[in-house]
Amino acid sequence: MDSRSLAEQEKDIRDLLRRAERTPVKTSALRKDTLRRLIDLAHSPHSSLKVIAATNLKLFIRDFPELEDEAINAVYDLCEDPVSSVRIKGYAAIVDVSREQQKWVKRNADVLVQLLQSDEPEEVTFVKRALTQHLDMDPVVTLGVICDQIVPPDEPLDEEEQAIRERLRSLVLAFLAGEAKRSLVERHANTPDSPAEQVLVSNLFKAITKLPSEEIGVIVKDVLAPLPSFKPPSTRGKELLELLLAQARATLKSDLPSGGDDGTLDHTRPYLDLASFITIDSRLTQPYQLLRFYYTNLTPKLVLARLPENDQAFVLRGVARVFAVCDDPSSRAPPIGPAADVSKQAGAGWDKAEDAALRRQFIDVCSVLLQVFADMQSPDYRPWSACHTLLQGVVRVC
């Protein structure tokens, strides 16, 4: 341990830094000794010396590859210092190192993601800022690191690991839906099929097949739907709808297993709600596939007879809402976009043949739904507004 006073140690390192900065040879012995001194100071008992180390390591780390690992580990140690002000300087030092050496972006982004778990709200703000800066430095690599924490691993985890993983995933999703949203929308995921957009979308689509519906809701509503790459004439919205309906189809098999026993739509409803969100509320794609799903899977008499009245009412409301959008002339306008996007518009706009086929089926579907409405025993469950919409639709179709 250095026996000199803190003031003497501060003067000594500042003098050393001044001499090193004036040295024209970047790989000189003096500069190398300065880097070693800064690495040592990262473990000093004095916070002020640690701060000096944190703010100056970036000046030397590039020039001495043999000391890189020691230097970056010193930065990580600063991020775990007992003193908050030192930790905050450590977070900034991570950004400095990544700017100096692009190869450290991936590892440093992973460290910052782990640091989102800090119990200090003020510090988390600095961590998020550093992570956003990494997004700007290398969006493809940083988004890959972030998404690694969202997509559940294939191998099983023990109970403690699972709990840690779930908490970190919720923090990462909150970051994407919050602090990172602007940079994603404006710069990194605003163009369909750009490298960063592909990394983000492909991983989040994969996560949708594995995560609970509550977290899928965050992904769909707060991360994917706001992206310009999901707006028509892009087919991203159609791809998302197909994925949600595939999940709804799978959960419906567990909600209503074969055998004819009564069931519920407890696990299926969240996916249909999200499908309604992207087709009706956000208009990211046409709703024909969703209406077809209702027709095929939920409106047959034998299916409705197995459902409780609250789920029957859900089906009536769902069909009414989706048909109303399909029946709205404004929703049939072809998507408008640059000529260069024409090849990407297939499936994104109004499908005249599908619309005609669904309208032909509408009368038969309504005859079943209106009978279910009439047979409901509890007046509280009767969706009067949906019934009115269905009757209006019958009049127009006929």
Side-chain angles (χ1 to χ4, degrees), residues 255-327:
D255 279 342
L256 291 175
S258 58
D261 293 335
D262 289 349
T264 70
L265 298 180
D266 290 348
H267 300 95
T268 306
R269 286 173 74 159
Y271 295 103
L272 295 179
D273 284 336
L274 289 173
S276 294
F277 172 79
I278 67 172
T279 56
I280 299 174
D281 301 320
S282 300
R283 302 292 179 100
L284 300 184
T285 188
Q286 291 291 337
Y288 300 115
Q289 289 185 80
L290 178 54
L291 189 58
R292 174 69 66 190
F293 181 93
Y294 274 109
Y295 280 8
T296 304
N297 297 282
L298 295 174
T299 61
K301 289 181 182 179
L302 293 178
V303 173
L304 288 165
R306 297 171 62 189
L307 296 176
E309 289 190 350
N310 65 314
D311 283 331
Q312 292 176 347
F314 174 84
V315 173
L316 265 72
R317 284 192 296 269
V319 173
R321 286 192 73 205
V322 181
F323 181 81
V325 175
C326 292
D327 197 42

